[in-house]
Amino acid sequence: MNQRDDAEFTPWPESEAARYRRAGIWRGIALAEAVHATAVRTPYAPAVSYRGRTLTHIELYRRAAELATGFSNLGLASGDRVVLQLANDDLFVPALLGLLRLGVVPVLALPSHRHAEITAYCRMTSARAYIAQLGESRAHVGETAQRVVDACPELQHIVMCPAAPDDAGPPYVSLSSLVGGPVDFPAVESGATGLLLLSGGSTGTPKLIPRTHDDYLYSIHASIEVCDFTHETVYLAVLPMGHNFTLSSPGILGTLVAGGHVVVSPSPAPSVAWPLIEEHEVTVTALVPSLLAMWLRTSEADTRERLRSLRTLQVGGARLDPDTARQVFDTLGCQLQQVYGMAEGLVCYTRTDDSIETICQTQGRPMSPHDELLVVDDLGSPVPPGHVGELLTRGPYTIRGYYRAAAHNAEAFSDQGYYRTGDLVRLTDSGHVVVVGRSKDQINRGGEKIAAPEIERHLCEHTSVEAAALVAMPDDVLGERACAYVVSTDPRLSLPALRGFLRERGLADHKLPDDLRLLKALPLTGVGKVDKRALQQLNVTGERP
Ligand code: OOB
């Protein structure tokens, strides 16, 4: 390994990079520049709507520039990292574009993250600021922000949205007060890291994904083309806006670059999202399978009529079962598009002209002709066509390494620069991917990823826990739920007590175990590792919350 362990970014080999640049795959344009070019083409078309208020493309451009000025006056500059954690509201897009405009690198945290995760991201990136939503009660800054301030003294600013409470002094500042005289925005280098996305993870510590302006913009343009996004697209952002699926597949950024209109839904519930679809004549939205199931359950005789503007429903993030997939056409009256993607890069889509069977039974095919896919066995050799193996991938928008994680990168990437996805797949003759399972130590809980070792590490900090293993169990609603198998000195250790313990440690709610089962010992494999397959086969009669 010739890389420093704190290397921020593993570049593509120069020969590949040169090829991507020469072929115009990487356009040499920074992300904010690409969005702002649309403002010049379609200045007065609606860009972002939230709770009855709409910003046109030119207004969005101005709002982002104002915020960029404010961020710059705070002392933030190109290359600095800032953790951005906003709910689905009207500030997310201007704040994101404001940071990108300055070349400041946003770390895209999810609203569900709490102080354990936010503190880790701040420390890993030596972040200079944390942009946070005001606490629930709106009267105080919220527990997460307070705990992050205590744990990260090097953080210079906590920017509260929309405004910090009156009695909160430094380091708290209000996003709404961030204005100031004009500044000269720097030219942003398109080969530099544009943003840091979160990895679903399968290790004890969270990993961050450095996406360059060039590679991310390419993935946006390729998505726009495959999904046929135009200035007529009206996209409803239902899933968390900081997730790669919502942000760029083609999502929010794809819609804006294509000159379309993003409508922000503060909740995925049909009672909130469906009236927005009707009001704004939304043409496309994206869901995870568990939310699709909820939409299907909620549907009534008039649902098709109410959702008549909706042409395409994208579903991805977790396995969609083919029977549920088939119901989309009749029950909701729109096209289904399966999306199999990952924040590390590769995104596959089913196409409009695929047969219904292909759309229902596969997770699509790679969006770019430059994506390279290998399906390999345990020893790393390619499997025969049509057989199941682990998917490895590389290409112009799939990273070559995680952020500051050289030791982990040596395992997560092959010598030839392929990313080991940890997904078990089969390729069809037509090149479509069928995801059949997973080899990575992760739980996919309704599309939200849990790195099992991360939670096991916390569980083992409990005074009565001697050993712990977190394992995926089938769940009717979520697809999978998390079961903790624990060896404890306390036979009365309960699920609520364990969940309370983890909550106190500041973990996001979706990472807390759904079941607990106490064992005398954890089963081990021949090489002495915890045998998670054996645990999955034990009948779960354990406690549930
Ligand atoms: C998306 O991104 P991540 O980074 O949250 O999670 C990636 C992982 C994949 O490696 C796979 O294990 C799983 O999520 N996954 C799916 C899937 N889509 C993602 N598993 C089965 N079927 C699918 N359709 O989840 C993501 C990023 C961009 C677009 C869409 C999803």
Side-chain angles (χ1 to χ4, degrees):
M1 199 188 327
N2 57 8
Q3 248 187 304
R4 295 195 356 255
D5 201 46
D6 64 350
E8 303 208 334
F9 162 56
T10 311
W12 280 258
E14 190 40 44
S15 57
E16 286 296 280
R19 183 165 71 85
Y20 295 148
R21 278 190 225 103
R22 250 194 336 269
I25 296 170
W26 291 351
R27 300 175 180 222
I29 297 175
L31 287 161
E33 232 186 294
V35 176
H36 295 155
T38 314
V40 177
R41 287 201 317 272
T42 55
Y44 307 114
V48 181
S49 295
Y50 177 72
R51 289 200 199 278
R53 281 198 309 268
T54 297
L55 289 179
T56 61
H57 281 268
I58 192 71
E59 287 165 343
L60 173 62
Y61 172 87
R62 290 201 191 107
R63 185 76 188 108
E66 256 168 38
L67 286 177
T69 305
F71 292 138
S72 170
N73 289 335
L74 266 188
L76 299 177
S78 187
D80 286 344
R81 274 83 51 199
V82 167
V83 175
L84 179 66
Q85 186 191 32
L86 294 181
N88 281 20
D89 69 9
D90 53 344
L91 288 169
F92 182 96
V93 178
L96 176 72
L97 292 175
L99 295 170
L100 291 173
R101 180 92 193 256
L102 283 180
V104 172
V105 181
V107 182
L108 290 171
L110 297 176
S112 55
H113 287 137
R114 296 183 52 242
H115 59 86
E117 290 93 7
I118 302 293
T119 301
Y121 305 145
C122 289
R123 287 189 175 152
M124 285 163 73
T125 62
S126 327
R128 297 200 49 202
Y130 164 40
I131 304 182
Q133 204 83 39
L134 192 62
E136 286 281 288
S137 73
R138 306 186 84 76
H140 60 84
V141 295
E143 194 204 350
T144 299
Q146 256 165 36
R147 306 274 290 252
V148 171
V149 170
D150 293 342
C152 305
E154 66 286 0
L155 255 183
Q156 287 163 339
H157 309 287
I158 314 287
V159 183
M160 301 299 306
C161 293
D166 293 341
D167 57 353
Y172 296 101
V173 288
S174 300
L175 187 80
S176 52
S177 70
L178 288 188
V179 282
V183 288
D184 284 332
F185 296 126
V188 175
E189 220 272 279
S190 67
T193 300
L195 26 79
L196 286 162
L197 302 176
L198 311 182
S199 157
S202 54
T203 62
T205 48
K207 296 287 176 296
L208 293 171
I209 298 168
R211 302 290 301 260
T212 67
H213 292 269
D214 273 329
D215 96 64
Y216 211 56
L217 189 59
Y218 172 66
S219 78
I220 291 166
H221 276 289
S223 293
I224 289 175
E225 203 179 310
V226 167
C227 302
D228 201 20
F229 273 37
T230 69
H231 65 281
E232 289 179 347
T233 296
V234 185
Y235 176 84
L236 187 71
V238 168
L239 299 172
M241 294 169 79
H243 190 273
N244 193 47
F245 189 11
T246 331
L247 197 56
S248 70
S249 305
I252 296 161
L253 292 175
T255 305
L256 294 176
V257 169
H261 179 190
V262 175
V263 178
V264 179
S265 184
S267 155
S271 59
V272 177
W274 292 4
L276 290 172
I277 295 178
E278 291 177 89
E279 182 190 340
H280 294 279
E281 301 190 3
V282 166
T283 58
V284 52
T285 188
L287 295 177
V288 289
S290 52
L291 285 175
L292 167 62
M294 193 228 271
W295 282 32
L296 289 169
R297 276 199 309 275
T298 313
S299 69
E300 293 175 346
D302 66 345
T303 300
R304 283 178 68 116
E305 178 54 22
R306 288 183 63 190
L307 304 185
R308 67 181 174 280
S309 63
L310 195 64
R311 272 181 237 147
T312 309
L313 183 63
Q314 298 182 305
V315 181
R319 184 181 177 275
L320 173 62
D321 105 89
D323 290 336
T324 312
R326 274 185 210 100
Q327 291 175 44
V328 169
F329 298 85
D330 282 345
T331 310
L332 303 177
C334 59
Q335 262 285 343
L336 168 69
Q337 179 174 50
Q338 290 215 42
V339 188
Y340 162 57
M342 52 207 71
E344 285 81 357
L346 178 71
V347 180
C348 301
Y349 296 104
T350 57
R351 312 299 207 262
T352 339
D353 57 1
D354 282 338
S355 70
I356 301 249
E357 279 317 289
T358 301
I359 291 175
C360 293
Q361 303 209 7
T362 80
Q363 281 60 62
R365 58 186 169 84
M367 65 168 161
S368 162
H370 306 286
D371 284 317
E372 296 175 77
L373 275 65
L374 281 179
V375 183
V376 302
D377 64 18
D378 289 348
L379 299 173
S381 308
V383 298
H387 285 232
V388 172
E390 186 192 0
L391 177 67
L392 271 55
T393 183
R394 67 178 185 188
Y397 65 99
T398 295
I399 56 159
R400 297 294 179 123
Y402 290 101
Y403 182 78
R404 296 186 178 173
H408 176 64
N409 288 342
E411 286 168 33
F413 296 82
S414 80
D415 293 345
Q416 281 77 40
Y418 282 87
Y419 165 57
R420 300 184 203 277
T421 65
D423 292 323
L424 298 176
V425 308
R426 176 169 68 73
L427 294 186
T428 67
D429 291 344
S430 55
H432 286 76
V433 180
V434 181
V435 182
V436 302
R438 209 168 41 230
S439 58
K440 58 189 164 193
D441 201 0
Q442 186 184 81
I443 295 150
N444 190 333
R445 190 178 183 277
E448 291 186 298
K449 317 301 183 317
I450 308 171
E454 180 189 341
I455 309 308
E456 290 158 2
R457 187 168 56 83
H458 284 280
L459 285 171
C460 289
E461 294 292 322
H462 189 283
T463 45
S464 85
V465 172
E466 291 183 336
L470 199 74
V471 172
M473 289 293 166
D475 185 275
D476 288 345
V477 177
L478 296 164
E480 292 176 17
R481 65 175 191 272
C483 178
Y485 286 91
V486 169
V487 180
S488 171
T489 51
D490 175 5
R492 285 160 318 181
L493 181 65
S494 69
L495 181 61
L498 212 54
R499 285 170 62 93
F501 169 77
L502 294 175
R503 197 174 280 119
E504 178 52 35
R505 292 179 72 84
L507 287 166
D509 251 32
H510 71 264
K511 295 184 182 172
L512 309 183
D514 299 294
D515 298 308
L516 167 67
R517 216 170 147 172
L518 297 179
L519 294 179
K520 294 228 156 39
L522 297 180
L524 299 180
T525 63
V527 291
K529 282 189 178 177
V530 173
D531 189 344
K532 293 205 167 177
R533 267 202 208 128
L535 287 173
Q536 269 162 335
Q537 272 146 25
L538 290 179
N539 201 10
V540 189
T541 51
E543 239 186 296
R544 302 190 59 177

